[in-house]
Amino acid sequence: MAALNSADALQVSGLRKRYDDRDVVAGISFTVPTGTCFGLLGPNGAGKTTTLRCCLGLTRPDGGKINLGAYDIPADAEAARQRVGVVPQLDNLDPDFTASENLLVYGRYFGIADATIRARIPGLLDFAGLGGREKARIQTLSGGMKRRLTLARALINDPDVIFLDEPTTGLDPQARHLIWERLKQLTARGKTLILTTHFMDEAERLCNRLAVLDNGHLVTEGAPRELIAAHIEPQVVEVFGDDAPRWARSRNGLAERLEVAGDTAFFYCRDPAPLLAALADAPALRYMHRAASLEDVFIKLTGRELRD
Ligand code: ADP
């Protein structure tokens, strides 16, 4: 099977999907260069999973064009999927099989010879930090191990592009860091990653570029640092405590922008010195001074309202 072979691993143009008379993906466009990591961010219901499913040919779009490398999706989806790996949101490993049997069975779906799969398994388990666990039953693996095994499974066909739907949700910090290291190694080897995540630190560390979706619309797209520079003042001072909102509103002029949420006041500023001086005179208040982050961009663009 030929590699996807293209400067851009994925091109999405004017993608549209309707459910129940509502555009859940409302004409979005983005391009993912080969060998990079691209993030799809957005609150619940923004249309991320629908977008991924359309790119994989699992959901039929109502409009637009998708190219996965040289393949047209959905027309050539079956052929394209031979070159693609998928890490779904929920682990769907087969509990009746061992770790290596899970990889073997999955590899057979791609029509790969058993001998080839068996030759790949030790290297993939090593890569996933599961060396020596060939015979482990799925129930005996921790959540982090299962995620890593799912990642190893997604690599069984040596894919060019790997789609990951919330790859570290539910993992402890150690397990997340290990997954991040492995994902970075994959892009260093020239693989293309397309992931969804709710973790802004994850997106900031892993993604070369990312898009923020909201209500089916792409609200911004770019490199994490570019987005922070474009949307947010560089310095943030968070002041918290019962008296913080009242205190903050009376010092509104000390920052370019002030937002109050619950008992926290967020001052967004270019020069924090006058605000920090004022805080030095208010020892009862607690505060944190930090650089602007992707989370600030996300909240500014998609709001603070809960989405269920
Ligand atoms: P996200 O992954 O960003 O949370 P989804 O793509 O899962 O968002 O969902 C976007 C919207 O589309 C949601 O309002 C969801 O309820 C709706 N939706 C998704 N799949 C279907 C479906 N098969 N039938 C009807 N509505 C759907």
Side-chain angles (χ1 to χ4, degrees):
M1 176 63 58
L4 287 176
N5 253 346
S6 163
D8 293 324
L10 176 67
Q11 280 185 297
V12 172
S13 166
L15 177 64
R16 201 170 281 284
K17 178 70 193 174
R18 280 180 92 70
Y19 283 122
D20 308 326
D21 286 340
R22 190 167 65 92
D23 278 344
V24 300
V25 179
I28 66 169
S29 305
F30 58 90
T31 297
V32 184
T34 294
T36 65
C37 178
F38 187 85
L40 275 176
L41 275 54
N44 285 334
K48 303 179 296 294
T49 303
T50 304
T51 301
L52 287 195
R53 289 183 57 83
C54 288
C55 292
L56 287 164
L58 301 173
T59 291
R60 182 167 280 275
D62 293 314
K65 192 164 167 47
I66 301 172
N67 284 103
L68 201 44
Y71 295 101
D72 247 5
I73 307 294
D76 305 330
E78 213 177 306
R81 277 205 293 269
Q82 289 283 330
R83 304 300 323 143
V84 165
V86 179
V87 176
Q89 201 173 107
L90 298 173
D91 287 319
N92 56 357
L93 297 159
D94 193 324
D96 295 330
F97 292 135
T98 63
S100 60
E101 285 166 351
N102 263 278
L103 300 194
L104 182 67
V105 170
Y106 200 77
R108 285 178 182 155
Y109 291 133
F110 293 96
I112 308 170
D114 276 16
T116 308
I117 305 173
R118 286 186 203 283
R120 285 181 186 171
I121 286 174
L124 287 175
L125 289 180
D126 266 353
F127 175 76
L130 295 168
R133 301 253 179 194
E134 279 79 356
K135 294 195 166 62
R137 295 255 145 220
I138 300 308
Q139 304 91 299
T140 66
L141 301 178
S142 68
M145 288 172 167
K146 285 185 198 159
R147 286 268 80 190
R148 272 141 49 206
L149 184 58
T150 306
L151 177 61
R153 190 185 64 174
L155 301 174
I156 197 75
N157 55 327
D158 192 23
D160 300 315
V161 180
I162 303 143
F163 288 86
L164 306 107
D165 200 357
E166 298 189 24
T168 66
T169 294
L171 299 188
D172 64 28
Q174 288 85 348
R176 293 177 71 208
H177 281 272
L178 190 56
I179 297 265
W180 289 350
E181 281 318 305
R182 293 307 187 261
L183 297 184
K184 280 187 194 161
Q185 287 177 19
L186 290 172
T187 45
R189 289 184 199 167
K191 309 279 188 202
T192 305
L193 306 184
I194 295 149
L195 59 85
T196 71
T197 183
H198 285 300
F199 298 115
M200 298 299 133
D201 56 339
E202 178 162 293
E204 211 169 321
R205 273 164 194 248
L206 291 180
C207 299
N208 302 94
R209 296 181 72 75
L210 53 90
V212 179
L213 289 184
D214 197 13
N215 291 320
H217 293 274
L218 198 156
V219 290
T220 195
E221 199 233 313
R225 306 234 138 262
E226 281 170 21
L227 296 182
I228 295 167
H231 292 284
I232 304 289
E233 297 75 10
Q235 306 280 322
V236 184
V237 180
E238 292 182 27
V239 184
F240 32 90
D242 289 343
D243 197 34
R246 189 200 57 76
W247 185 89
R249 287 196 180 96
S250 71
R251 292 180 175 68
N252 195 1
L254 293 176
E256 272 75 14
R257 200 156 57 85
L258 168 68
E259 251 187 66
V260 176
D263 71 353
T264 306
F266 296 80
F267 288 94
Y268 296 95
C269 35
R270 302 207 169 279
D271 174 14
L275 177 59
L276 295 174
L279 281 163
D281 290 336
L285 289 170
R286 288 186 299 145
Y287 70 93
M288 179 172 68
H289 174 205
R290 59 175 175 81
S293 72
L294 200 54
E295 184 146 333
D296 298 311
V297 177
F298 187 85
I299 294 284
K300 184 176 178 195
L301 296 179
T302 64
R304 291 186 187 272
E305 259 164 66
L306 268 188
R307 319 285 178 94
D308 293 319

